[in-house]
């Protein structure tokens, strides 16, 4: 059935295939074989013949579209390629139905047609370029400028593709994962994806998550023209669903994404719903972006409440007796610890995935003491490598569960210095390999009652670039190499779910969609400096804006801290103040990290923060409920909650912690005050002093070492949230 609307043909979702030819190209509707809404397929004319690549546009949840473009001549859309997207729940609302519109009038030679899903419309030009418009106010949110495809220099069936979107100098872009440059706004920055995997470059603190959100401020004329109340909110969310090596450049006038080896271009765009855009609360529109994103890529599990408090870790407890002694000291001092960590090299050989019986003679007794006597949980470090001397290597070798050298179909020796000899990386893209590794983890850890895992070195770690020729079961590293942590997290998640356990793992790398497997991120092996504390603020906020809401940091930094040093004692206090207002609250470092080794003053203040976080558990879990249900980040830049307050969009060192608390960390040595901005529309009460401040103004606030700028939001007559004022 085809409906004529003006001079355009509108295809209803009725038949399996409806198609038409236009002056500019070919348009076809095709119903999804899996029972989804189907997709609109466009093919521009080229030299009078229908031979240009197919552009497949499919609704992917509310107000969202997925675009796939095969890169080979005559290629078909493929569903079998690795990526972050899952099939979202079907939309029942007619306002979110699929519209395939074919422009047939004489004046439309420059437009083939369009696709509309809810509040998002995509137009396809005669050249095959896409323009995305928010229907409710007519604002163009994304517009392709160029799309260039070239043959790969290395692979006969893969291609290099570069895609540019127009931008303006006033646009702000957030997300794209975790980086140590200290910038919240990514505008003007460029990234090489592969460098996020190189420990020698990143030290684990660079994570390229190809997810961004963008906003271009509306002019006064635009505000007057549109009726939308929330014109100050985010314009779009974008997932560049390309799992291989490449780069991105956020330039002044464009954003350009490049994949070096791909079979298909694949990306996802979402906007806020029309109802949220009409609301006077702009935060609802911002929250829509993340709600749509997690619907499309998977929701985080609910964080266990026994993980919402303090995590204690160090490099490293080398024996069972040392580990138990530290846990006992925490217990005796009545310092609440939710999770205590056993770091790497607790094994005989890398790949044993079990305890060295000489140093850890009775794991079951140790676990019983920690869990039953001290009310703590144990997290254990698991690395993804198998040394040829390990107990896992014979099976990995015989079953071909390792990453191969694609040039000679043999195992690739992975050059990791921690492996202790010839080292092989297991291939988690193989379901059988994941299942095998999980059986080893069960035999080495879960049988004792250990159910929390630290997937360290999950880039996978390599001091230099990924070894030439690395090939996974699902493709060469150049095509799929960014997804190792994504698949690696499935090993633990699937195993835990199969045993009825709550998935929870800490990872030193990640990729889009990983949140659905319970994979948390941390800031990598940072330095014990005030500058590292400063840049951690933006790193954490952008990670959470990229869809991974479980984030933490090495409180005190990983390298260089000395508990006897005066400056470090101040640093550790300030970092604990920041850490207590992060989604996960964890100390780690290559130093003695026990609080009682600090100065008396620092010890008192650190323990104060540990106890304070414990008292906030119900508040933290309220925020985690929102993460689970809607994808709402725990830590959010001020503009997220106050988008209509234009001053908030340029503030990069303050944030909301949940919906009721604003934080302004102190990150300068010997600073005893700091200037901050109070967003308009609320009153703010200092958590420690009780002083109330009006919104819409900047103030310099005292910040003695004993406290820091922490404020509870007041709307009307009630203080929000479950934090009580001391």
């Amino acid at each position: 059935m085809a409906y004529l609307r003006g001079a355009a043909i509108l295809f209803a979702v009725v038949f399996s295939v409806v198609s038409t030819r236009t002056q500019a190209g070919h348009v076809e509707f095709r119903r999804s074989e899996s029972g989804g809404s189907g997709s609109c397929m466009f093919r521009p004319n080229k030299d009078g013949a229908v031979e240009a690549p197919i552009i497949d546009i499919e609704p992917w949840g509310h107000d969202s579209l997925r675009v796939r473009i095969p890169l080979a001549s005559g290629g078909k859309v493929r569903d079998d390629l690795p990526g972050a997207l899952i099939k979202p729940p079907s939309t029942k609302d007619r306002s979110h139905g699929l519209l395939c519109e074919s422009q047939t009038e004489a004046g439309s030679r420059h437009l083939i047609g369009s696709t509309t899903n809810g509040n998002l419309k995509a137009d396809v030009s005669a050249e095959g370029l896409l323009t995305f418009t928010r229907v409710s106010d007519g604002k163009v949110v994304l517009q392709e400028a160029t799309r260039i495809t070239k043959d790969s220099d290395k692979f006969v069936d893969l291609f290099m593709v570069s895609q540019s979107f127009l931008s303006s100098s006033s646009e702000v872009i957030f997300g794209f994962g975790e980086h140590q440059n200290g910038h919240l706004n990514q505008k003007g920055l460029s990234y090489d994806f592969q460098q996020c995997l190189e420990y020698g470059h990143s030290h684990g603190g660079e994570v390229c998550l190809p997810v961004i959100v963008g906003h271009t401020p509306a002019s006064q004329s635009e505000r007057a023209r549109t009726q939308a109340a929330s014109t100050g909110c985010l314009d779009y969310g974008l997932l560049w669903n390309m799992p291989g090596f490449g780069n991105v450049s956020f330039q002044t006038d464009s954003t350009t994404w490049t994949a070096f080896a791909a079979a298909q271009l694949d990306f996802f765009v979402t906007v806020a719903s029309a109802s949220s855009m009409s609301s006077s609360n702009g935060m609802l529109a911002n929250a829509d972006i993340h709600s749509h994103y997690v619907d499309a890529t998977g929701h985080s599990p609910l964080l266990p409440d026994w993980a919402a408090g303090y995590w204690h870790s160090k490099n490293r407890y080398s024996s069972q007796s040392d580990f138990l002694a530290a846990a006992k000291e925490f217990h005796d001092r009545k310092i609440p610890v939710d999770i205590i960590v056993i770091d790497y090299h607790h094994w005989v050989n890398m790949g044993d995935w079990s305890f060295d019986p000489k140093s850890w003679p009775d794991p079951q007794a140790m676990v019983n003491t920690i869990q039953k006597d001290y009310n703590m949980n144990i997290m254990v470090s698991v690395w993804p490598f198998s040394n040829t001397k390990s107990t896992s290597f014979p099976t990995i070798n015989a079953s071909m569960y390792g990453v191969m050298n694609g040039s000679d179909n043999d195992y690739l020796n992975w050059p990791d210095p921690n492996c202790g000899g010839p080292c092989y990386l297991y291939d988690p893209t193989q379901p059988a390999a994941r299942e095998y590794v999980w059986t080893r983890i069960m035999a080495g850890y879960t049988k004792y009652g250990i159910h929390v895992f630290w997937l360290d070195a999950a880039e996978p770690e390599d001091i230099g670039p990924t070894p030439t020729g690395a090939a996974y079961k699902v493709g060469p590293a150049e095509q799929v190499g960014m997804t190792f942590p994504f698949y690696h997290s499935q090993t633990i998640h699937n195993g835990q779910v199969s045993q009825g356990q709550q998935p929870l793992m800490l990872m030193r790398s990640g990729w889009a969609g990983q949140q659905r497997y319970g994979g948390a991120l941390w800031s990598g092996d940072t330095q014990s400096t005030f500058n590292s504390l400063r840049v951690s603020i933006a790193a954490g906020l952008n990670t959470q804006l990229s869809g991974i809401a479980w984030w933490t940091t090495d409180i005190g930094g990983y390298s260089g801290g000395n508990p006897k040093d005066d400056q470090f004692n101040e640093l550790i206090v300030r970092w604990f103040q920041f850490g207590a207002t992060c989604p996960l609250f964890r100390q780690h470092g290559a130093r003695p990290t026990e609080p009682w080794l600090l100065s008396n003053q620092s010890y008192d203040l650190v323990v104060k923060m540990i106890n304070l976080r414990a008292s906030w558990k119900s508040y933290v879990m309220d925020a985690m409920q929102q993460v689970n249900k809607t994808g709402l980040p725990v830590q959010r830049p001020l503009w997220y909650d106050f988008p209509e307050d234009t001053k908030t969009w340029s503030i990069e060192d303050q944030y909301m912690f949940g919906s009721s608390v604003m934080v302004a960390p102190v990150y300068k040595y010997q600073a005893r005050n700091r200037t901050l901005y109070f967003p308009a529309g609320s009153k703010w009460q200092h958590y420690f002093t009780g002083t109330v401040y009006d919104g819409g103004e900047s103030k310099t606030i005292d910040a003695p070492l004993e406290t820091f700028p922490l404020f509870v939001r007041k709307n009307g007559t009630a203080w929000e949230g479950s934090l009580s004022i001391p």
Side-chain angles (χ1 to χ4, degrees):
M1 184 181 297
Y3 297 96
L4 188 67
R5 187 176 68 183
I9 293 177
L10 177 66
F11 297 129
V13 182
V14 177
F15 295 132
S16 293
V17 177
V18 180
S19 64
T20 188
R21 283 286 298 275
T22 75
Q23 297 181 63
H26 181 85
V27 186
E28 178 178 302
F29 167 76
R30 192 166 63 183
R31 182 179 293 279
S32 169
E33 294 181 0
S34 61
S37 299
S39 63
C40 301
M41 301 179 66
F42 303 88
R43 193 195 304 262
N45 286 340
K46 184 177 180 182
D47 299 328
V50 182
E51 59 183 32
I54 290 171
I55 301 169
D56 185 272
I57 307 177
E58 185 172 358
W60 214 262
H62 292 289
D63 312 297
S64 307
L65 294 169
R66 180 186 188 181
V67 179
R68 285 179 286 182
I69 304 174
L71 301 178
S73 177
K76 296 182 178 180
V77 174
R78 292 178 58 181
D79 294 321
D80 62 334
L81 297 173
L85 292 168
I86 59 174
K87 197 67 178 179
S90 61
T91 57
K92 302 298 185 182
D93 188 342
R94 284 182 59 87
S95 67
H96 289 84
L98 172 66
L99 302 177
C100 298
E101 189 172 12
S102 172
Q103 298 292 341
T104 60
E105 71 271 22
S108 297
R109 296 183 61 88
H110 300 298
L111 184 66
I112 302 175
S114 62
T115 304
T116 302
N117 182 35
N119 203 27
L120 181 61
K121 179 181 180 181
D123 291 314
V124 184
S125 75
E127 295 78 19
L129 298 177
L130 293 150
T131 298
F132 296 90
T133 303
R134 192 166 55 200
V135 176
S136 58
D137 61 356
K139 182 173 184 177
V140 173
V141 295
L142 273 176
Q143 183 175 359
E144 263 191 310
T146 61
R147 190 189 317 125
I148 301 170
T149 302
K150 298 179 180 179
D151 290 340
S152 168
D153 294 334
K154 186 174 180 180
F155 305 100
V156 296
D157 56 345
L158 299 177
F159 302 85
M160 184 181 81
V161 60
S162 183
Q163 179 182 36
S164 292
F165 295 96
L166 295 177
S167 183
S168 71
S169 58
S170 61
E171 184 182 19
V172 288
I173 296 173
F174 306 100
F176 197 68
E178 173 186 275
H179 302 282
Q180 302 300 317
N181 53 35
H183 293 286
L184 186 61
N185 182 6
Q186 300 289 356
K187 197 71 170 176
L189 301 174
S190 298
Y191 298 95
D192 180 336
F193 297 173
Q194 194 172 356
Q195 287 189 338
C196 283
L197 309 182
E198 299 174 16
Y199 185 83
H201 170 79
S202 70
H203 295 282
E206 300 283 324
V207 181
C208 290
L209 302 174
V211 183
I212 60 172
V213 293
H215 166 70
T216 301
S219 64
Q220 287 187 347
S221 61
E222 287 175 316
R223 286 174 176 263
R225 176 180 61 82
T226 64
Q227 299 284 317
S230 299
T231 53
C233 66
L234 290 170
D235 293 328
Y236 65 88
L238 170 69
L239 162 66
W240 209 62
N241 194 33
M242 305 293 285
F245 299 158
N247 55 52
V248 64
S249 181
F250 301 106
Q251 302 156 16
T252 301
D253 58 355
S254 65
T255 294
T256 302
W257 302 82
T258 300
F260 297 154
Q264 176 172 278
L265 179 62
D266 187 353
F267 63 99
F268 164 89
V269 180
T270 188
V271 298
S273 67
S275 59
S276 293
M277 289 298 300
S278 65
S279 170
S280 60
N281 183 357
M283 183 196 172
L284 296 178
N286 290 338
D288 263 0
I289 300 291
H290 283 100
S291 180
H292 295 162
Y293 174 77
V294 297
D295 282 348
T297 62
H299 289 243
S300 296
L302 179 61
L303 184 79
D305 60 1
W306 47 258
Y310 175 56
W311 299 18
H312 181 77
S313 179
K314 78 171 185 180
N315 181 1
R316 63 190 173 91
Y317 294 110
S318 59
S319 69
Q320 180 174 324
S321 58
D322 288 345
F323 180 70
L324 285 171
K328 183 178 186 300
E329 189 72 16
F330 276 108
H331 178 263
D332 291 349
R333 290 173 179 262
K334 295 182 172 55
I335 302 173
V337 176
D338 277 7
I339 294 175
I340 188 165
V341 180
I342 299 173
D343 204 348
Y344 66 168
H345 292 303
H346 59 265
W347 47 72
V348 176
N349 291 296
M350 183 84 77
D352 287 343
W353 296 307
S354 62
F355 290 104
D356 178 352
K358 291 183 179 179
S359 300
W360 306 82
D362 194 346
Q364 189 63 71
M366 173 183 71
V367 171
N368 291 344
T369 299
I370 294 293
Q371 293 181 350
K372 297 177 181 179
D373 296 346
Y374 303 153
N375 196 30
M376 303 174 190
N377 286 280
I378 295 175
M379 171 183 277
V380 66
S381 176
V382 173
W383 284 48
F385 304 110
S386 178
N387 185 295
T388 55
K389 297 178 182 179
S390 72
T391 55
S392 67
F393 181 74
T395 299
I396 288 177
N397 181 51
S399 302
M400 300 185 71
Y401 289 160
V403 173
M404 307 297 288
N405 186 331
S407 62
D408 58 17
N409 201 34
D410 196 3
Y411 286 110
L412 190 70
N413 185 8
W414 202 271
D416 188 277
N418 283 295
C419 211
C423 190
Y424 297 90
L425 176 68
Y426 96 102
D427 180 2
T429 72
Q430 299 185 52
R434 294 197 299 267
E435 291 173 7
Y436 170 69
V437 171
W438 176 250
T439 65
R440 303 296 306 180
I441 289 171
M442 284 196 298
Y445 305 119
T446 66
K447 75 175 184 180
Y448 301 120
I450 296 173
H451 303 302
V452 192
F453 298 98
W454 179 7
L455 304 191
D456 205 350
E459 296 87 3
E461 179 175 279
D462 189 5
I463 301 304
T466 298
T468 302
Y472 298 90
K473 188 70 172 180
V474 296
E478 290 87 344
Q479 183 188 12
V480 301
M482 301 305 296
T483 59
F484 180 89
F486 173 84
Y487 284 104
H488 186 32
S489 65
Q490 291 183 52
T491 299
I492 303 299
H493 171 272
N494 294 351
Q496 290 186 306
V497 169
S498 71
Q499 295 191 338
Q501 300 165 9
Q502 292 178 282
L504 175 60
M505 67 209 80
L506 181 65
M507 305 188 69
R508 204 181 65 192
S509 191
W511 199 67
Q514 187 172 298
Q515 73 280 349
R516 68 180 182 253
Y517 298 122
L521 287 179
W522 94 95
S523 57
D525 294 347
T526 55
Q527 299 296 306
S528 296
T529 65
F530 275 90
N531 185 61
S532 287
L533 169 58
R534 178 187 68 83
V535 303
S536 293
I537 300 170
L541 293 174
N542 272 328
T543 299
Q544 292 168 73
L545 291 171
S546 303
I548 296 185
W550 293 0
W551 183 85
T552 186
T553 180
D554 283 359
I555 291 178
Y558 177 75
S559 300
N562 180 356
K564 302 302 180 184
D565 177 74
D566 289 343
Q567 183 167 332
F568 178 77
N569 270 265
E570 181 169 328
L571 173 68
I572 194 73
V573 171
R574 292 304 193 192
W575 213 316
F576 259 94
Q577 292 168 352
F578 168 64
T581 59
C582 290
L584 304 177
F585 179 38
R586 165 184 171 272
Q587 182 187 193
H588 180 66
R591 64 177 185 277
T593 56
E594 294 78 15
W596 50 87
L597 300 177
L598 299 166
S599 70
N600 290 338
Q601 181 190 31
S602 297
Y603 169 79
D604 289 341
L605 296 178
V606 163
V607 172
K608 172 184 176 181
M609 292 313 304
I610 294 173
N611 283 311
L612 201 58
R613 173 71 178 220
S615 74
W616 294 346
K617 183 163 284 191
S618 63
Y619 180 78
V620 172
M621 289 307 299
D622 286 346
M624 290 299 175
Q625 289 274 2
Q626 288 300 312
V627 169
N628 170 250
K629 292 178 181 178
T630 69
L632 183 68
V634 177
Q635 288 175 301
R636 306 185 290 272
L638 297 187
W639 56 257
Y640 200 106
D641 291 59
F642 305 95
E644 297 297 336
D645 186 340
T646 57
K647 292 181 180 179
T648 63
W649 286 91
S650 61
I651 296 173
E652 300 197 340
D653 60 355
Q654 293 175 233
Y655 53 87
M656 295 298 292
F657 172 56
S659 298
S660 309
V661 177
M662 181 179 70
V663 186
V666 179
Y667 51 80
K668 295 180 179 179
Y669 180 47
Q670 295 183 332
R672 295 299 182 264
N673 60 53
R674 69 153 290 179
T675 301
L676 58 108
Y677 177 71
F678 293 95
S682 296
K683 289 184 178 292
W684 302 89
Q685 182 173 12
H686 197 298
Y687 184 84
F688 297 103
T689 69
T691 304
V692 177
Y693 298 87
D694 292 328
E697 58 185 20
S698 297
K699 292 285 187 181
T700 299
I701 305 298
D702 288 340
L705 190 59
E706 294 77 11
T707 66
F708 64 108
L710 180 72
F711 300 88
V712 179
R713 180 182 181 184
K714 184 178 184 181
N715 278 336
T717 59
W719 296 107
E720 292 193 347
S722 53
L723 268 71
S724 58
I725 303 296

